[in-house]
Amino acid sequence: MSDLAIRWFAPLELRILSGMSFLSCALLSVVLLFDYFRGDYDSMSIHGVGLMALTVMILTAIDFTEEGRTRRRDMGLMASGITLGCGVIGLAIRGAEYLLVDLWAGLVLLIPGLSGLYLLSTPLVSRWVGSTIERVEAEDGLVRNRLLLPKWQAALKHVVLLHVVAVVMIPVLWIIDVAISPGDALQGGAMFSSPTGEHFSNILGGDNFWVWARNSVIVSIGTTLLGLCLAIPAGYAFSRYRFKGRGAMMFTFLLVQMFPGIIILVPYFMVMKSLGLLNTAIGLILAYSVTALPLCVWMLKGFFDTVPKELEEAALLDGCSQFGVFYRIILPLSLPAVAVTGLFSFLVAWNEFLLALTFNTSDDMFTLPVGLASYISATDSAWGDFAAMSLLVAIPVVLLFIVFQKFLIEGLTAGSVKG
Amino acid sequence: MRRGIFLIAVMPLIVALLAMPVVQATAVSKVEASGESSSYRNVNLTWELASPAEDGDGFHIMFSESSFSHTGNATIHSTVFTASTDGMVQPAVGEWYDDCQSSSGDDDWAMVFRSENGSAVVPPGTVAIRCDLTGMPVGAEVFLAILPFDSHWISGELSEVVGATSTAVDELPPSADTRPVWFAIGSIALSLVVLLAVLGWKERSAQGRSAMLYVAPALMALALLTFYPVGYGIVLSFTDANQSALGEQSFNGLDNYVEVFTSAGFLRVLGFTLLWTVVNVFAHVGIGLALAMALQGRVKGKVAYRTILLLPWAIPSYITVLIWRGIFQYDGLFNGLLGTQIDILGLPVPAAAAVIVVNIWLGFPFMMMTISGALQTLPGDIYEAAEVDGVSPISQFRHLTLPMLKPAIVPVALLGFIWTFNMFNVIYLMTDGGPNLWFGEPGSTDILITYVYDVAFRRGMYGLAAAWSVVIFLILLWFSATYMKKTNATEAVV
Amino acid sequence: MSGVNFVDVSKTYEDGTEAVRGLELEVVSGEFLVLVGPSGCGKTTTLRMLAGLEEVSEGEIRIGGAKVNDLPPKARDIGMVFQSYALYPHKSVEQNLTFGMEMMKGEEALSSNEIESRVKEISNLLGIAELLEKRPRELSGGQRQRVALGRALIRRPKVLLMDEPLSNLDAKLRNQMRIELRRLHEEHGTTTVYVTHDQIEAMTLADRIAIMNDGELQQHATPDECYNNPANDFVKDFLCRHIDEIVTTANHIVSKR
Ligand SMILES: Nc1ncnc2c1ncn2[C@@H]1O[C@H](COP(=O)(O)OP(=O)(O)OP(=O)(O)O)[C@@H](O)[C@H]1O
Ligand SMILES: [Mg+2]
C-alpha cells in the first residue's frame, strides 16, 4: 500500500521532454520545407536526422514502463545528443552568413537537445530510472509535479501561441514597414530603418483616395440605411408575431445566406447593366443591402427576443398603437443592437470586393477595395502607396471590429449556426 | 494531364526533328498592335509575313502582361495554322474570342476558317493576319509577339514584341432593351404584393396582417434581388448571351452545358477546387480547434492573444491577400527572409500552395472563435467525472470534447465549405488563377468561381458563365445535402 | 482495508476563502459516513479534496494508510457520484458505465467479457438493465441517479463518494433511493462518504455522521450518540432541535386526526 506514491510518481522531466520534442518535431517539419525551398540539401539531411532523433526522444519519453527504464533513458540521452549535434552542425553549415530563419531552425534543435541531456541526467531521474527512489522522495516529487507541471505546460502553450502570433503579425508588420519606407522595395531587410511619410502624403495629397473613400462611404452608409429599413420591421415581426408562413420565411432567410454569390453574379450584372445601374452607387447599395439582409434580420430577431414582452403589453394598455409601441418602446430599447447590426452591414459594404469589381469599372466609381487592388498589377505595382492606403483603410475597420467583436461574433454565429 | 503525356510521348520525336532542321518557319516581318479602336478588353494585332505562308506553317500569338524577350515569360493566347481550308467553316465576327482575318495581298481581308476542333486556319499564300484578341486587362499595357513555327512544330524567331493598351470603355450597347427587365421586375413585385395581400387577408388576426406588412419589404427585396437573378441566371444558362450581343440572346438548348462538361479544363479546375476547399476547411477547423483549446481556461495574456489572432479576420481580406502577394512575390519578403529565389506565384505547385496557405491564414480565426464559443457551453462536471474515472487528457479530448463539439462544428464546417468554395478574392488577387499554362483554359490555380469570372467578364460569354454557375450551385447543393445526411446519420449511431 | 483519514486538513481557496479548517476525521473501512452541515460549511470541498479534484492546502489525507494528497484522482481508486450526476450526455447508459473501464491501459485493462459481465451485474443490481441503450437526457431524475451510481460502482472502487446524490429527486423517490443505497452498502460493504445537508437523511443512512459548520468539524459519532449527546450548541440546534421539531409537527398532525 505504501508504495502508492512510488508507483504513481514519474518525474515531470519526461512530460516536459515529450511535449518539447513534439513541438520541435512540428516546427522542424517547417524547417525541412524551407530547406527544400532553398535547395539546401545538406541542411535538409542534417535536419532530417534531427527530426528522427526527436521522434526517438518522444517515443522514449512518452512512457517509461517499469522494465525498460534504463534502456529508454539511455536511448533518450543518445537522441538528445544527436539532436544537439544536428543543431550545431546545422548552424555551422550556414556559416557566417546565417539568416534569422537559420537561427530559429538551430534553436528548434538546440533547445530540446540541451534540455534532454540535462533533464534526463538529473539525480532524481537517475534514481527513478534505477528504481532506487525512496517513498519520501516520490511524495515530494508528486508535489513538485503538481506545482511545476502546469507552469511548464503553460510555457509550451505560450511557445505555440507565440509562433502563431508571429505568423499572424509578420504580414502586418511588413506592410507597416513598406508603408513608411521610401520607394517600393519589398524585402524589408532592415525593418523600420529610414521612416518617411512620402507614401502617406502621396495618398492624402492625391485625388484617388478621396474619390474612392467618398464612393465607399456613400455606398456603405446607403447600404446600412436601406438594410436597416428592410431588416428592422422583418426582424421585429419574426420576433413578436406568430403568423402563417413564419417558419418557412425564416428558413428562407437562413438558406439564402448559404447561397453562393457566384450564381447570381452574372445575372446580377446583366440586370444591372440593363437597368443602367453599372458604375453607380445605387446598384451597389441595392446589391449589398440584400446580401447583408438575411443575417441582419436574424441578428435583429435575436435582439428583439430579449426585450421583454410585458413592456409592450403595458404600453398597449396605456393606449399606445401597435406602431407606437414599436417606435417608442422597442426601437429605443434595442438601439444598441440596431447599431451593431448597422455596423455589420456597414462592414459588409465597406469590405466587399467582387460585386464592386464587376459593377463599377470606371476608376472614378471604384470603391476603396477595388481602388486599392488597382495599385497592384502584374506590370508595375506601387507597393509603397498601396501599403500606406491599406493602413488608412484597415485601421479604422480593425478598431471597430475589435471593439465590437463580442457582439459581431455573437450575431454572426447566431445567424449561421442556428440551422 | 493528357497534354503532358502527349508531350512526353512526342518528345523523342521532337528531339530527333530538332537534330535535322529541314524546313524553316516563315519569318514575321512586321507586327503592329493597337488597343484604341477595338472593343472592351480587346486589342488588335496585325502581322505581316516575310514570305507567303506555306502549308503546315503556324503562328503562336504570345501574350504577357509584362514585357518579355523570350517565350518562357509569355503564354500562348491563340494559334493560327496554315492549311488547306477545304470543307472548313468560316464563322462570323464575334463568335470566337480570337477573331482573326487573313489577307493574301492587296488588303483583301477574309475571316479565318475553323477546323473541327476549333483551331483557326488560314489558307496557304497568306501574307498578313490580323486578330482581335479578347480578355485583355483594361487600362494596363499588354505585350504581344508572334512565334512562328514550321510544319514540324519547330519554332522560328520570336518576332518583335509590341505593346498595346485596351482603352475602349465598356459601353451599353444601344440596342439593349431594358423593357423586358422592368417588366419582369414589375410583374414579380406585383405578384408578391398579391400573394402577401392574400396571405394577410386569409390571416384572421390583425396581428398577422401587420406582421405581413412588416415582413413585406424585406421579402420583396429578397425576391427581386436574389430569387429573380437566380431564376434569370438559370434561364441565361440555356442561351447564347454574350457581351457583344446583350439583349439579343437566343436559346441554344444544352449547348452551354455540353461545353462546360467537355471543356478541356473542367476536370482540372474541379479537381483543384475540391483540393482547395477540402484542405482549407480541414486546416481551418483543425487550427481553430487547436487554438480554441489552447486559449481555453486560464492563460496569461489571453485577451492580447485573442485580439491578435483575430486580426486576419478583422483586416479586410482584399488588403491582406494583396499583402501576401507582396510577400510571395519574387522580390518579396518570403524570398528575402529565407534567402531563396523562387518565383512562387509563377510556378503551378508553389502558387497553389501559396494561395492555400494564405486562405488558411485568413480563415482560421472564424473557426477559432466559433469553437471557442462552443467550448464554453460544454458541461464542466463531466471532465471531473472523467478524471475520477481515470480517463487521460488525450482520451478526454478524443471521447468527450470532440463528440460534444460535433453539433457545433458540423454546421460551421459546412458554411466554411461553401465560403471557401466561393472564395474569389484570394485567388483573383493573389494569382488571378495563374500561372496560366494554356490560354483560354483555366489557369493552374483557378477555382470554379474565378474561372466563371473569366468566362463571363474577360471572355464576355454570359450564357456559358451562367451554365458554369448553375453547375457550381448544383455541386454545392448536392454536397450540402449529402453532408447533412451523413453527419446526421453518424450522429444517430454515436 | 481501506479506511480514510483526514489529518489536520485545511483548505484555503485562491480568493482567501477558508472552506475547511483543521479537519480531523477517520472513516473506518467498510463504514458509511455521512457528512452533514448547513449550506456553505465545506462539505463538498472536503469530498473533492478526498477525490483529488481539489488541492489540499495543509494537512494530510490518507486512504488505506497511504498519503494521497498529491496523487491524481485515478490513483486513489475511488468512485464518485456528483450532485449534478455529470453523465456523459452524448453516450448511452451502457457507454457511460463502461467508458472509464475501456480507457484503462496496461495491466489494469479489463477484458471485454469482464466489462460485459460487470455491466450486467451492476445494471441488474440497480434496475437499469432496460435503459442501457438510452441517452441520459431520455432518463428520469431517479434513473439518472442510478446510472451515476452505477458508473461509480462498476469499477469496484475502494471508497465511494457521494455529493448530495438525492437532492434533485422528489420526496418519495428520495425515500426509496435511500433504502436502496443502504441495501447496496450492506451488500458491498464499500467504504462510503456521503454528503448531505438533510438531517433526516443523515440519521437514517449513516453508520456514523460527521457534522460540520463553517469549515470545522463539530461532532463525529453515531447518529444516536449525536442526538442524545450533542457536543455543542450548534449540534443541538442543527440536529436535535430540527429533529424534535419534525417529531412535534408529526405528533401534532397525528393527534389532530
Ligand atoms: N472554487 C472556489 N473558490 C472560492 N471559494 C469557494 C470555491 N468553492 C467553494 N468556495 C467557498 O467555500 C465554502 C465551502 O463551499 P462548499 O461548496 O464546500 O460548501 P457545501 O458545504 O458543499 O455547501 P452546499 O451544501 O451548499 O453544497 C463556501 O463559502 C464557498 O463559497
Ligand atoms: Mg456542496
Side-chain angles (χ1 to χ4, degrees), chain C residues 98-112:
Chain C
T98 56
F99 181 55
M101 291 188 294
E102 272 164 5
M103 290 297 119
M104 284 179 183
K105 271 178 288 204
E107 46 200 288
E108 301 171 338
L110 298 170
S111 70
S112 56

Side-chain angles (χ1 to χ4, degrees), chain A residues 1 4 8 139 142-143 146, chain C residues 55 66-67 70-71 74-75:
Chain A
M1 276 283 102
L4 254 189
W8 285 95
E139 278 174 3
L142 281 169
V143 178
R146 200 191 67 216
Chain C
E55 280 171 28
K67 178 181 170 192
D70 299 298
L71 289 180
K74 63 175 171 188

Side-chain angles (χ1 to χ4, degrees), chain A residues 38 101 157-158 167 174 186-187 260 263-264 267-270 274-275 290 354 357-358 379 383 386 405 413 416, chain B residues 65 178 225-226 229-230 236 246 294 300 305 310 322-323 326 331 338 340 361 370 422 424 453 457 462 469:
Chain A
R38 304 158 114 180
V101 257
K157 210 183 233 190
H158 282 290
V167 174
W174 177 73
L186 286 182
Q187 295 207 333
I263 33 167
I264 44 178
Y268 238 2
F269 174 79
M270 296 192 62
S274 306
L275 297 180
V290 177
L354 177 55
L357 176 73
T358 9
T379 40
W383 281 104
F386 161 78
Q405 53 161 311
T413 42
S416 60
Chain B
E65 292 193 23
T178 62
L225 287 162
T226 303
V230 170
L236 268 183
L246 188 74
K300 252 194 208 127
Y305 278 129
L310 219 57
L322 286 170
I323 295 176
D331 53 355
L338 238 58
T340 49
W361 186 89
T370 41
N422 293 294
F424 176 80
Y453 180 86
F457 301 107
Y462 300 142
S469 307

Side-chain angles (χ1 to χ4, degrees), chain B residues 384-392 396, chain C residues 73-75 100 103-104 155:
Chain B
E384 297 194 329
E387 194 96 338
V388 174
D389 263 354
V391 181
S392 69
Q396 285 180 24
Chain C
K74 63 175 171 188
M103 290 297 119
M104 284 179 183
R155 289 186 314 124

Side-chain angles (χ1 to χ4, degrees), chain B residues 172-185:
Chain B
L172 249 177
S175 66
D177 186 359
T178 62
R179 266 175 312 168
V181 183
W182 283 117
F183 179 74
I185 291 181

Side-chain angles (χ1 to χ4, degrees), chain C residues 38-45 48 83 163-164 195 197:
Chain C
S39 186
C41 70
K43 307 180 295 283
T44 300
T45 307
R48 287 170 57 84
Q83 184 170 2
D163 189 1
E164 312 202 21
V195 164
H197 59 254

Side-chain angles (χ1 to χ4, degrees), chain B residues 262-285:
Chain B
T262 55
S263 68
F266 178 72
L267 282 181
R268 189 156 49 77
V269 71
L270 184 68
F272 183 66
T273 310
L274 287 181
L275 178 80
W276 153 267
T277 315
V278 169
V279 171
N280 271 309
V281 172
F282 270 94
H284 287 161
V285 174

Side-chain angles (χ1 to χ4, degrees), chain A residues 360-395:
Chain A
N360 289 12
T361 44
S362 78
D363 56 7
D364 59 336
M365 284 313 293
F366 279 175
T367 55
L368 279 172
V370 182
L372 249 181
S374 75
Y375 273 87
I376 307 299
S377 79
T379 40
D380 73 320
S381 302
W383 281 104
D385 289 356
F386 161 78
M389 202 200 278
S390 298
L391 290 180
L392 290 176
V393 176
I395 286 173

